[in-house]
């Protein structure tokens, strides 16, 4: 018995509505068509009965009454267009996906099977490219929703799938441009967004699928063959690419360019690192050139590793790079999210990372640049510490007083406290800072309203007494 949840609408088409339902204790998608329109779907029905493939939506059951015919179909969790909805849209697909070339291969195998069965699809589009999730292991597969139409050629299916591939690889853009551009650009065979597609061999394949003359288009079987070869080549060259970037010396642009013919420039290793994220870790040599090359060739500066760290966060731990300020400017010029917070236990932004980890005296220039670029100087981590806490705890150079001055000028909250122990920046300073200008820094903080607790006062008194004792010992030694 087919049960239909009419309150749960999954989609609305030109001749029917899709509801969620249950058939034989299985959750299904129920496509309900008015009986007067059912005759229009006979070809689709006959096609669905013929098809049995892992990349084609399965038909489980059909039943009808005097008003409607209902198809119980395999329930998928989303369609490809849901990947590219706005972040705040509740319908946005937020689960994992296979590697991009694997997604293309699954869709290509579905169309190849349809053509091998002497059928055509006729309506390939993002809404009909569905995402199915295995309920046992949560892995996803791609399914084509089958629509068999009259007077459609296989070459038209190939062209439509080329549009779908381009849409997916460009993050939801039509290969031929904006809605007002599409018709003219198709007529002139000008896929303006194709240059966005990575890697090069995927772009070449889509160009073959979008050939303006149907007889010159690649067949669905050759698409599958090329994608299988691409996957094999990509796996090998991806390993080679990361070997280059893990060598701790910058690779040449030519070495990287050759590998990017078959590897997505934004591919990731097992730790979520992209080539760009690796490049800001390298400590030997001048990294500006290769980093600029990666960005110019499509590297996404806002991708993050598995800990949620972006390129600015990771760069903060690189003391050896001589031109770190230039690299930061390059990342900022290319719209890196300066206020991005990591997923690490403390949830730091770039200012936190640099204040806690960067040891060189040009930290003052870095902080000034980050503040000018709009970073939130008062951002607190998960235990209430701001940049001033971390600076006073970890930074050891004599220009600390100048850096604190910049933070004070930009409204840093001097009385923010660590929620675990109630310590403010003054306490951290007295506990950790060893330079001769400690007293001047203490005076600066007090002048700007920092609270002096009894515990902090004891520390201050101890540090002042220690300094007096050292000076006295020094004077006695000189007299002797």
């Amino acid at each position: 018995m087919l049960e239909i949840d009419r309150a749960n609408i999954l989609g609305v088409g030109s001749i029917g509505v899709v509801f969620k339902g249950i058939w034989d204790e299985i959750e299904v998608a129920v496509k309900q068509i008015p009986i007067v329109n059912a005759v229009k779907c006979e070809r689709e029905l006959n096609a669905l009965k013929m098809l049995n493939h892992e990349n084609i939506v399965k038909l489980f059951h059909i039943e009808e009454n005097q008003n409607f015919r209902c198809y119980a179909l395999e329930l998928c969790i989303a369609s490809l267009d849901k990947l590219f909805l706005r972040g705040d849209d509740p319908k946005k697909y937020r689960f994992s996906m296979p590697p991009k070339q694997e997604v293309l291969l699954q869709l290509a195998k579905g169309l190849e099977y349809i053509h091998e069965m002497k059928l055509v699809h006729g309506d390939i589009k993002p809404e009909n490219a569905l995402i199915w999730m295995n309920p046992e292991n949560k892995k996803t597969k791609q399914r084509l929703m089958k629509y068999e139409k009259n007077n459609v050629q296989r070459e038209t299916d190939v062209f439509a799938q080329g549009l779908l591939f381009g849409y997916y690889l460009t993050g939801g853009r039509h290969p031929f441009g904006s809605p007002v551009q599409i018709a003219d650009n198709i007529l002139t065979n000008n896929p303006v967004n194709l240059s966005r597609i990575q890697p090069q061999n995927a772009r070449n394949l889509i160009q073959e699928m979008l050939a303006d003359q149907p007889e010159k288009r690649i067949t669905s079987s050759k698409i599958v063959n090329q994608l299988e070869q691409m996957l094999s080549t990509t796996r090998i060259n991806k390993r080679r690419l990361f070997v280059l970037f893990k060598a701790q010396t910058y690779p040449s642009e030519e070495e990287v360019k050759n590998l990017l013919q078959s590897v997505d420039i934004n591919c990731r290793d097992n730790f979520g690192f992209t080539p760009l994220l690796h490049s800001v870790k390298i400590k030997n040599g001048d990294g500006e050139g290769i980093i600029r090359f990666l960005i110019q060739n499509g590297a996404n500066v806002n991708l993050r590793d598995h800990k949620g760290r972006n390129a600015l966060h990771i760069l903060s731990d690189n003391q050896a790079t001589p031109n770190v300020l230039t690299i930061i400017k390059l990342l900022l010029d290319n719209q890196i999210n300066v206020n991005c917070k990591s997923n690490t236990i403390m949830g730091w932004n770039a200012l936190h990372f640099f204040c806690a980890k960067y040891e060189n005296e040009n930290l003052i220039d870095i902080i000034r640049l980050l503040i000018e670029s709009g970073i939130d100087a008062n951002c607190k981590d998960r235990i209430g510490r701001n940049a001033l806490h971390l600076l006073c705890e970890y930074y050891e150079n004599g220009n600390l007083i100048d850096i604190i001055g910049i933070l004070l000028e930009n409204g840093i909250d001097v009385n923010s406290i660590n929620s675990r122990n109630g310590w403010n920046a003054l306490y951290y300073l007295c506990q950790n800072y060893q330079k001769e200008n400690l007293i001047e820094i203490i005076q600066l903080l007090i002048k700007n309203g920092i609270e002096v607790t009894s515990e902090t006062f004891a520390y201050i008194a101890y540090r002042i007494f220690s300094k007096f004792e050292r000076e006295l010992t020094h004077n006695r030694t000189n007299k002797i």
Side-chain angles (χ1 to χ4, degrees), residues 302-371:
N302 281 306
L303 292 182
R304 302 193 276 171
D305 69 2
H306 287 345
K307 295 180 180 179
R309 299 176 301 172
N310 68 12
L312 280 177
H313 300 158
I314 295 166
L315 184 61
S316 68
D317 204 23
N318 191 344
Q319 317 297 328
T321 300
N323 55 349
V324 62
L325 201 62
T326 303
I327 294 172
I328 292 173
K329 288 178 180 176
L330 181 59
L331 294 171
L332 292 170
D333 288 343
N334 284 276
Q335 310 304 311
I336 195 166
N337 180 3
V338 72
N339 282 303
C340 171
K341 297 177 76 172
S342 73
N343 298 333
T344 55
I345 190 169
M346 288 304 169
W348 286 353
N349 69 5
L351 192 58
H352 290 127
F353 274 103
F354 273 101
C355 288
K357 291 178 171 290
Y358 196 73
E359 299 172 359
N360 298 335
E361 289 194 348
N362 65 339
L363 176 62
I364 187 169
D365 300 312
I366 294 171
I367 289 178
R368 188 180 287 115
L369 177 60
L370 291 175
I371 290 174

Side-chain angles (χ1 to χ4, degrees), residues 160-287:
Q161 192 164 70
L163 296 178
L164 179 65
F165 285 6
Y167 170 89
Y168 176 60
L169 293 179
T170 57
R173 296 179 177 90
H174 195 288
F176 286 92
S178 67
V180 297
Q181 297 174 311
I182 290 171
D184 287 341
N185 283 340
I186 288 177
L187 288 173
T188 58
N189 192 30
N190 181 27
V192 292
N193 284 328
L194 223 57
S195 60
R196 298 175 180 269
I197 291 174
Q198 296 284 348
Q200 176 70 47
N201 57 4
R203 184 158 68 246
N204 294 342
L205 172 62
I206 295 173
Q207 284 177 324
E208 291 188 71
M209 298 170 74
L210 297 179
D212 56 345
Q213 298 179 40
E215 65 274 12
K216 292 186 177 179
R217 290 174 198 154
I218 189 171
T219 65
S220 55
S221 292
K222 287 183 178 179
I223 294 170
V224 170
N225 290 338
Q226 281 203 27
L227 284 168
E228 288 176 335
Q229 291 173 9
M230 284 164 56
L231 271 169
S232 176
T233 303
T234 296
R235 291 189 188 104
I236 295 169
N237 286 344
K238 180 180 174 181
R239 287 196 293 269
R240 289 174 177 168
L241 184 66
F242 284 118
V243 166
L244 281 179
F245 277 100
K246 290 176 182 178
Q248 285 307 304
T249 55
Y250 288 101
S252 71
E253 291 182 17
E254 192 62 31
E255 287 176 306
V256 176
K257 186 176 181 179
N258 288 336
L259 293 173
L260 290 180
Q261 298 296 313
S262 58
V263 180
D264 186 344
I265 199 167
N266 291 308
C267 64
R268 297 175 180 273
D269 66 10
N270 292 335
F271 300 98
F273 274 80
T274 64
L276 178 64
L277 293 178
H278 272 294
S279 69
V280 297
K281 285 175 57 181
I282 296 174
K283 301 187 186 314
N284 298 319
D286 180 356

Side-chain angles (χ1 to χ4, degrees), residues 116 164 408 449:
E116 286 175 348
L164 179 65
L408 292 171

Side-chain angles (χ1 to χ4, degrees), residues 15-35:
I15 59 172
V17 182
V18 182
F19 301 95
K20 199 168 184 179
I22 295 177
W23 175 77
D24 195 25
E25 300 183 353
I26 301 171
E27 283 193 324
V28 294
V30 181
K31 184 176 182 180
Q32 178 182 275
I33 298 172
I35 203 71

Side-chain angles (χ1 to χ4, degrees), residues 195 198 253 265 289-299 301 330 334:
S195 60
Q198 296 284 348
E253 291 182 17
I265 199 167
I290 192 65
I291 291 171
R292 188 180 299 277
F293 170 81
L294 291 171
I295 293 173
Q296 288 174 343
N297 283 273
V301 298
L330 181 59
N334 284 276

Side-chain angles (χ1 to χ4, degrees), residues 116-153:
E116 286 175 348
M117 298 298 289
K118 310 302 180 185
L119 298 168
V120 291
H121 188 288
D123 198 23
I124 295 175
K125 58 185 179 181
E127 293 82 0
N128 289 336
L130 305 183
I131 303 168
W132 174 80
M133 181 177 286
N134 187 319
E136 295 180 0
N137 58 23
K138 302 302 181 185
K139 290 185 177 180
T140 58
K141 281 186 176 290
Q142 315 315 305
R143 303 277 204 258
L144 280 176
M145 182 64 191
K146 179 69 188 70
Y147 288 89
E148 207 275 339
K149 290 189 174 182
N150 291 315
N151 303 318
V152 175
Q153 297 178 323

